[in-house]
Amino acid sequence: MNAIGTGVKKRERAIDMFKGLLVLGMVYCHTLQFFSDMDLYPNGRPFIEIINLITFSGFVFSFGYVSQLAYYSKPFRQAAPRMLVAAVKTLAAFYVSGMAFRVFIDGREASWSTLRPILLIRDMPGWSEFLISFTYLMIIGLALFVPLRWLASRKAIGFGVSGLMLVFTFIPYGSIHSMQLGPLIGTRDFASFPVLQYLPYYIIGILFAKYRITWDWRVFVAALIATGGFVWRWLSVDGQSLPERFPPSVWWIVGPALLLYGNFGLARLMERYPVPFTLFEAMGRNVLSYLVMSNVLIFALKSNQQQKLLVGAGEGFWLACVIVAIVTFCVWIITKPPQPKRSQPSSTTTT
């Protein structure tokens, strides 16, 4: 988007803050998963479960939102190269995070024999699966460029299609054993974030950006029903085990709807008072850097402990803040700040 009369590219600060909140939540969740023990510190479990529920769906929504602004509002020839670059970046991020997991956590040698299966997506290292799913998401977004633009121009049909796509959560996951197909359509062989099942959030993100949706009572009611269905399913089973996440059930997909809508509203509120939330905005502008670098830091710290580090929910949050601060410093020293545009001298003269 261009600011009228200035020619200066203007970012959507609210969606950056939305992504920043998700980044902090993911780093906090990973910190608890690696440095806490739910038997000793059960107070961390609700945070892990809530963050797990909303994070990937939230990132998919924000990908759709940003893609509408950056890609689908432009001609295919202009958008396609940028989408390919984004896909390559996320693929490289998967390689870095996956290799770090195998070396630091699994103790494997940093050798070609370790790297090669990751490069060929024949190995799916832990806590890196979501990155390859982002790559698939960008490729699908490019392959479906024309249909997605068509849906974006038809609001009601777009929302209807996103709802109908929930049928893909009934794919017979047990018959899928391909490592390369798992991140696309799901499998029971390993943890994955199948793009096809999460794609409704991508479409909804496109529609939110296209029609500048903020508060809408119809969206609120739909989100309330979706999350209410998740809660009903959870309580009707045993009230302890959440609906299936790997691979995702229909209840897991619809579950975060109300929380994400609330998070989106919170980001809009933060946008009105940007100064205290500058860090969240910076995190949202550099999502990939934070996700990859925080993973590498967590893996390295976990592998180099002289004594086992155990933290509760409170200590884990501060440890996550330290990790975020380190990544922020790294991003800060390698990122060139935007330069203000100099005003052009007037071509007219006065007498």
Side-chain angles (χ1 to χ4, degrees), residues 43 52 107 137 240 283 298:
N43 58 344
N52 280 339
L137 180 60
Q240 296 180 352
M283 293 162 66
I298 289 172

Side-chain angles (χ1 to χ4, degrees), residues 11 136 309 343 348:
R11 292 189 65 94
Y136 280 39
L309 174 63
S343 59
T348 61

Side-chain angles (χ1 to χ4, degrees), residues 155-175:
K155 185 178 178 181
I157 295 177
F159 277 109
V161 168
S162 66
L164 290 174
M165 291 191 71
L166 294 173
V167 71
F168 290 117
T169 57
F170 298 98
I171 286 176
Y173 296 121
S175 62

Side-chain angles (χ1 to χ4, degrees), residues 54-71:
I54 69 172
T55 301
F56 189 75
S57 298
F59 278 127
V60 172
F61 167 84
S62 65
F63 264 45
Y65 195 104
V66 173
S67 293
Q68 169 59 31
L69 301 178
Y71 308 132

